[in-house]
Amino acid sequence: EAQVTQNPRYLITVTGKKLTVTCSQNMNHEYMSWYRQDPGLGLRQIYYSMNVEVTDKGDVPEGYKVSRKEKRNFPLILESPSPNQTSLYFCASSFWGQRGGTDTQYFGPGTRLTVL
Amino acid sequence: GQNIDQPTEMTATEGAIVQINCTYQTSGFNGLFWYQQHAGEAPTFLSYNVLDGLEEKGRFSSFLSRSKGYSYLLLKELQMKDSASYLCAVSHAGAGSYQLTFGKGTKLSVIP
């Protein structure tokens, strides 16, 4: 089954304790992305990757890191989480679109993170 | 920067037709997407417009006018299960970046 998986689905942690949220896709997509979703603010792009070893900042990258060592995996790293990073996080992947932009994004199930 | 506007909330009656508008100001426009998101779930793809005009897919249609920076999603024969948030998203590129920017979403409530 074609899918994007994220782990963990739920996480409660404390300020400053490094964590990693994993994301994996089995559709051979080039483009992968992380979003956070907060009430009243909608989905905001954190980081994206156009292919292996190619990553770039989205609109809200502060406090996050990513890596793309393999095509299927795109982990999100919070080196020192803070309470303002409490949010619902989505990973997504897609092929390249016909005009060079992103094609239809397929989303993972989401990770609900609480930082105390 | 990119700016996408859509109404925050709408209410419509089961069986009716509803139109959700989206306006955008962006540079490097590559296409416009509509996603549906039920509460607590991931967004799912509804439609994609890259050229001006209407795209029809069953009960859902989406329209794009690039010159006006305007799109709408049309939902016909509304069902209770259509109660969800509808997200407008613009794909844009420039200076080596390729991003997808979302509007804040329109929460649609379908009432009997």
Side-chain angles (χ1 to χ4, degrees):
Chain A
E1 180 190 354
Q3 59 182 350
V4 180
T5 57
Q6 293 178 229
N7 282 293
R9 294 289 312 279
Y10 302 90
L11 180 61
I12 300 174
T13 189
V14 295
T15 298
K17 185 176 181 182
K18 181 180 178 179
L19 67 91
T20 299
V21 185
T22 64
C23 173
S24 184
Q25 50 93 7
N26 62 0
M27 295 170 278
N28 203 34
H29 287 163
E30 297 92 2
Y31 190 95
M32 296 187 73
S33 183
W34 277 102
Y35 300 88
R36 61 177 290 173
Q37 187 171 37
D38 303 288
L41 297 178
L43 274 165
R44 294 179 292 167
Q45 194 172 40
I46 303 170
Y47 268 94
Y48 65 93
S49 169
M50 294 184 283
N51 216 322
V52 176
E53 302 291 0
V54 182
T55 63
D56 205 351
K57 297 177 181 178
D59 296 318
V60 287
E62 295 77 20
Y64 304 95
K65 286 176 57 178
V66 292
S67 68
R68 188 94 181 271
K69 294 183 169 52
E70 305 166 282
K71 196 172 187 179
R72 62 183 294 128
N73 296 324
F74 190 45
L76 180 70
I77 303 158
L78 285 73
E79 296 258 352
S80 183
S82 63
N84 65 12
Q85 293 178 297
T86 293
S87 187
L88 178 59
Y89 291 86
F90 288 103
C91 179
S93 70
S94 73
F95 290 118
W96 276 117
Q98 294 175 354
R99 295 181 62 195
T102 58
D103 204 338
T104 302
Q105 301 253 297
Y106 293 87
F107 284 82
T111 295
R112 190 167 291 280
L113 173 65
T114 301
V115 183
L116 302 175
Chain B
Q2 319 298 324
N3 191 43
I4 302 174
D5 288 315
Q6 47 182 132
T8 303
E9 293 186 46
M10 298 182 71
T11 301
T13 305
E14 190 176 15
I17 300 173
V18 70
Q19 178 174 313
I20 302 173
N21 296 325
C22 172
T23 58
Y24 63 90
Q25 290 112 33
T26 187
S27 55
F29 178 84
N30 272 324
L32 189 142
F33 296 86
W34 285 95
Y35 286 85
Q36 181 191 59
Q37 185 178 27
H38 285 99
E41 297 182 8
T44 54
F45 170 77
L46 286 177
S47 70
Y48 175 49
N49 293 74
V50 69
L51 300 175
D52 291 352
L54 189 68
E55 293 281 343
E56 297 187 82
K57 192 187 283 188
R59 294 190 299 116
F60 296 81
S61 303
S62 58
F63 171 83
L64 175 67
S65 169
R66 288 173 296 170
S67 62
K68 295 182 178 177
Y70 169 68
S71 174
Y72 67 73
L73 179 70
L74 195 70
L75 292 78
K76 304 175 188 174
E77 302 169 13
L78 279 172
Q79 302 174 10
M80 299 300 291
K81 67 179 182 179
D82 297 329
S83 292
S85 288
Y86 291 85
L87 315 179
C88 172
V90 173
S91 174
H92 54 95
S97 72
Y98 296 88
Q99 291 187 246
L100 189 65
T101 299
F102 283 81
K104 294 179 181 178
T106 299
K107 184 177 180 181
L108 174 66
S109 298
V110 179
I111 58 176

